């Protein structure tokens, strides 16, 4: 797409790895100018995909998010799409999880998602609207013994998605989420390093394989597209059928 006007400006948080990185590459391949936000500077430096610009940002920190969104608007233009893929995983059974891990999970997964939605939606609203896709999880609907706090953050992301869809509709902004099952990303490997858990989960996947980051990026790309203009407030499982096969 060199020399042509970008198809639009897309912001992808957590874009240095996993689902975020696959999503950024998909939008870039479709001719969008993509701003990737991540707190891991080294991984951002390693990604030299054409059409992708990297910004160091901690999504749980309002001043960091506001400063980066100002820079994106000034350098790339006003975003019409926001994808919130930044997230962390801190497994621990209910009797063992620490206050620090509990608070960090909520700071990144919930407040981080909300902050980027709020800050980016303010500029979208001034420019005729846009689309937001959050990344929830099947963990929003069910848990393992170690997922108590993580599952609660993903339940909050699904709930925020519906609430934001209602609140931002008058500003021309659609808000949806995807809810992936286990995926072999750095985070997914941390969650599935128990062979017994992996065997049990795989037994429920109707697709008979775990997802790839691209499987999720396809769904995100669809929900963000103007062709999905009648879909808002929806949480789409991208789980190979896990939730249907309890
Ligand atoms: N991998 C799975 O099995 C799985 C399943 C369901 C949902 N999810 C969700 O998908 C999303 C992406 O996960 P992934 O598997 O690609 O993980 P990942 O670890 O590969 O990528 C997450 C990225 O988010 C970044 N990040 C973390 N905290 C941040 C912060 N405060 N500010 C900015 N960036 C930050 C990390 O540096 C990393 O690059 C997460 O929200 C996760 O909860 C993952």
């Amino acid at each position: 797409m060199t020399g042509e006007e970008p198809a639009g400006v897309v912001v992808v948080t957590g874009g240095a790895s996993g689902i975020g990185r696959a999503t950024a590459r998909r939008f870039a391949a479709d001719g969008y100018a993509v701003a990737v936000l991540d707190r891991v500077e080294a991984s951002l430096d390693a990604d030299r995909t054409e059409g992708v610009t990297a910004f160091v940002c901690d999504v749980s920190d309002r001043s960091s998010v506001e400063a980066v969104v100002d820079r994106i608007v000034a350098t790339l233009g006003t975003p019409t799409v926001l994808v919130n893929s930044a997230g962390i995983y801190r497994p621990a059974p209910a009797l063992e999880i620490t206050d620090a891990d509990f608070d960090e999970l909520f700071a990144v997964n919930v407040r981080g998602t909300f902050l980027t939605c709020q800050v980016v939606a303010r500029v979208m609203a001034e420019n005729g609207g846009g689309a937001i896709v959050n990344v929830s999880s099947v963990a929003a609907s069910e848990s393992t013994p170690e997922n108590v706090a993580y599952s609660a953050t993903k339940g909050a992301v699904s709930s925020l998605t519906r609430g934001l869809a209602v609140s931002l509709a008058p500003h021309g902004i659609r808000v949806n989420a995807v809810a992936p099952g286990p995926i072999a990303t750095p985070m997914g490997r941390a969650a599935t390093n128990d062979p017994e858990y992996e065997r049990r989960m795989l037994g429920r996947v109707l697709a008979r394989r775990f997802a790839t980051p691209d499987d999720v990026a396809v769904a995100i790309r669809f929900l963000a597209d103007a062709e999905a203009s009648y879909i808002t407030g929806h949480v789409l499982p991208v789980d190979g059928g896990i939730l249907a096969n309890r």
Side-chain angles (χ1 to χ4, degrees), residues 17 19 38 40 57-59 85 135-136 150 154 180-181 183 185-186:
S17 177
I19 296 168
D38 208 289
V40 181
C57 174
D58 177 352
V59 297
S85 191
V135 181
S136 181
Y150 175 78
K154 291 299 170 176
I183 309 168
T185 63

Side-chain angles (χ1 to χ4, degrees), residues 128-214:
I132 295 174
V133 183
N134 295 324
V135 181
S136 181
S137 170
V138 294
S141 307
E142 60 182 36
S143 191
T144 65
E146 294 77 26
N147 274 2
V148 188
Y150 175 78
S151 290
T153 68
K154 291 299 170 176
V157 169
S158 295
S159 179
L160 264 180
T161 298
R162 290 184 284 268
L164 286 164
V166 174
S167 194
L168 297 177
H171 303 284
I173 301 170
R174 295 184 300 110
V175 189
N176 292 289
V178 290
I183 309 168
T185 63
M187 180 188 295
R189 278 190 289 275
T192 61
N193 64 1
D194 170 0
E196 169 52 24
Y197 170 77
E198 193 169 321
R199 193 192 58 73
R200 213 165 8 96
M201 285 306 272
L202 199 51
R204 288 173 59 195
V205 184
L206 300 175
R208 290 291 166 243
R209 63 170 176 84
F210 285 133
T212 65
D214 280 321

